[in-house]
Amino acid sequence: MSAHQSLIKTSLLFLIASAIFLVLPKKVLARVMINELLPDPSGDEKTEEWVELYNSDDAPIDVVGYKLKDASDHELEIGLAYIEGSTLITGKGWLLIKRNNHPNFSLNNTGTETISLWNNASPSAQLDTFSYSGSAENKSWGRIPDG
């Protein structure tokens, strides 16, 4: 390989690496967080408890396969069974996840509860936690301002 060809190859690799670097930060820095939750609905807790996620980024984020974990480490994997519509959260948007008869995951009404959000990477990484203590019927816990 000539010096000229080597220079072209090195330049191309640099351009590709730069392009990847410029594209990735948005996805890597995208933030989805637990924004609000309702642990003690006036209706059936097994179907009416919910957790709201907020996307603080401008770009949409698909959360299919992300997991919510309760204080007892029970997992709810986010998918169409627990939402209405799509698992895609628009930029600066929200997504409501209902318990919908999940057999194990639940939001405690008494004592301290910590809910955590995990991504769908392998290995999974914890993205956020939200803690509260006790609850009143039909009163939600939330972050003000959003996120």
Side-chain angles (χ1 to χ4, degrees):
M1 180 182 295
S2 72
H4 181 68
Q5 288 174 324
S6 179
L7 180 60
I8 290 173
K9 184 177 178 182
T10 303
S11 297
L12 283 173
L13 287 174
F14 177 76
L15 286 173
I16 291 169
S18 297
I20 290 172
F21 178 76
L22 291 173
V23 171
L24 280 182
K26 255 199 166 181
K27 296 196 183 284
V28 171
L29 298 176
R31 293 267 305 147
V32 176
M33 59 202 70
I34 300 166
N35 192 58
E36 189 175 358
L37 49 85
L38 180 66
D40 191 5
S42 57
D44 183 2
E45 289 188 16
K46 291 181 181 179
T47 59
E48 299 301 314
E49 286 182 347
W50 53 260
V51 175
E52 178 188 77
L53 301 181
Y54 176 68
N55 174 8
S56 66
D57 196 56
D58 292 325
I61 299 171
D62 192 349
V63 294
V64 69
Y66 281 40
K67 292 178 176 74
L68 291 170
K69 293 184 183 181
D70 62 22
S72 299
D73 212 29
H74 297 124
E75 292 182 357
L76 180 149
E77 186 172 326
I78 299 171
L80 296 178
Y82 304 105
I83 62 164
E84 293 180 13
S86 170
T87 56
L88 189 70
I89 308 176
T90 60
K92 306 292 187 213
W94 302 266
L95 179 68
L96 194 71
I97 301 148
K98 290 185 113 179
R99 185 172 166 197
N100 284 353
N101 289 309
H102 190 281
N104 298 316
F105 178 84
S106 66
L107 304 173
N108 292 333
N109 294 338
T110 59
T112 300
E113 172 74 281
T114 299
I115 303 299
S116 57
L117 175 66
W118 298 75
N119 68 12
N120 57 2
S122 182
S124 186
Q126 184 174 317
L127 302 176
D128 191 29
T129 61
F130 188 101
S131 296
Y132 64 95
S133 185
S135 63
E137 186 176 62
N138 218 30
K139 300 292 180 188
S140 65
W141 290 87
R143 289 188 167 135
I144 299 173
D146 289 330

